Amino acid sequence: MKNTLLCLIIALAAFGCKKRDVPHYTISRVVKSDTASKLTINIGTRLSQADLLNIAAKIKADSSTLNNLQLCYMLPGHNDKNTGPDNFYAVAKYPNASAATMQDTLKDLDGAIVRLNIKGLSAQEATHLLKLNPKEILGKNILGKFIDDNNQTLIVPFTEVNDPKKEVYIIEFDRTGKVVSATVPMRENKDGKEKLIVTHRGDYITLKDSILTQYSIDDLGLPYNSIKSGI
């Protein structure tokens, strides 16, 4: 009888729990103030709204002491030292109950109100861009295909196969495969770091370990964006 009752209690508890299908993530940074808590969440790929909400619900449930929670989702290749405004794939905010409005209709799995802004392209949109193979890059030695979420474009650096100098060319395509920019950057090697200077004012990029990092001459050597090839 006791065993039967115990099994019934366990079954009821399991039935009452909400099933969470939470993608893998890690937390790389936590910034707290008196009024808010901001967490940087590393995700392995572009996730759907449902997946992002499930992660948010899990973190909120595990972090009940953190008030006015804000979650910043970051794709591989990016880092929280980037200075640009579009560093994150998505941002989720849990507003205080007193700040909720009638427009706040989105809720997580636990019924808590979330304001979710997905800044980056979806997995489907990204896949479409990565599959583009316009005539301008046919037969070239592709150094990587990089998705610029801010401009919704595909950046393709390449070299000519038989070029002994390995001159680098950079072409940017929109989602239809149309060229929106084409650059032959000037190469500069300094302190073991190769810069590809892409503007007359000195803005530059670097290519290392399949990551394209963009720098503004105004940011004193700090990157404003970084993109991993193929994501």
Side-chain angles (χ1 to χ4, degrees):
M1 179 67 179
K2 288 183 178 180
N3 289 338
T4 303
L5 182 60
L6 179 60
C7 290
L8 179 61
I9 292 173
I10 293 173
L12 288 172
F15 180 77
C17 292
K18 297 180 177 65
K19 177 177 173 56
R20 298 183 191 276
D21 186 12
V22 182
H24 175 72
Y25 68 90
T26 59
I27 299 174
S28 62
R29 190 176 186 185
V30 178
V31 179
K32 296 182 183 179
S33 70
D34 294 337
T35 57
S37 300
K38 180 179 178 180
L39 280 63
T40 301
I41 313 301
N42 300 285
I43 54 177
T45 189
R46 297 167 187 274
L47 299 176
S48 66
Q49 175 178 285
D51 285 334
L52 295 171
L53 288 175
N54 285 345
I55 292 175
K58 174 71 165 57
I59 292 174
K60 183 168 176 57
D62 293 344
S63 311
S64 57
T65 58
L66 297 179
N67 62 326
N68 202 12
L69 193 61
Q70 177 175 325
L71 310 177
C72 300
Y73 299 89
M74 195 164 58
L75 289 170
H78 290 69
N79 65 70
D80 51 24
K81 295 181 176 61
N82 288 350
T83 61
D86 301 293
N87 189 26
F88 301 114
Y89 176 67
V91 176
K93 298 179 181 180
Y94 282 95
N96 291 329
S98 59
T101 69
M102 292 181 65
Q103 284 70 42
D104 289 315
T105 58
L106 186 63
K107 297 182 179 180
D108 68 15
L109 193 64
D110 295 323
I113 291 174
V114 186
R115 294 171 182 170
L116 178 63
N117 179 16
I118 301 178
K119 296 168 170 284
L121 297 177
S122 69
Q124 293 76 19
E125 292 168 326
T127 298
H128 169 75
L129 278 175
L130 291 171
K131 286 183 176 179
L132 291 176
N133 198 25
K135 65 180 185 301
E136 288 84 0
I137 58 173
L138 290 177
K140 310 300 184 185
N141 179 35
I142 305 297
L143 303 179
K145 290 186 174 182
F146 303 89
I147 295 172
D148 187 327
D149 285 287
N150 184 36
N151 294 316
Q152 300 187 1
T153 56
L154 180 71
I155 302 173
V156 183
F158 65 88
T159 62
E160 296 288 356
V161 174
N162 297 318
D163 180 9
K165 294 183 179 180
K166 300 297 182 183
E167 192 82 64
V168 176
Y169 303 85
I170 301 174
I171 296 185
E172 191 170 1
F173 301 95
D174 67 15
R175 64 182 63 203
T176 69
K178 179 182 177 181
V179 176
V180 295
S181 72
T183 308
V184 183
M186 183 178 70
R187 275 175 148 160
E188 178 183 287
N189 285 280
K190 187 175 182 180
D191 301 325
K193 181 177 182 180
E194 183 179 63
K195 299 179 181 179
L196 299 173
I197 301 173
V198 294
T199 69
H200 294 297
R201 64 195 297 269
D203 303 318
Y204 65 95
I205 68 170
T206 61
L207 280 172
K208 186 178 180 181
D209 300 328
S210 298
I211 295 176
L212 184 153
T213 307
Q214 299 168 306
Y215 296 82
S216 167
I217 197 66
D218 301 320
D219 281 348
L220 302 176
L222 291 174
Y224 70 83
N225 195 18
S226 54
I227 313 167
K228 185 174 177 63
S229 177
I231 293 296

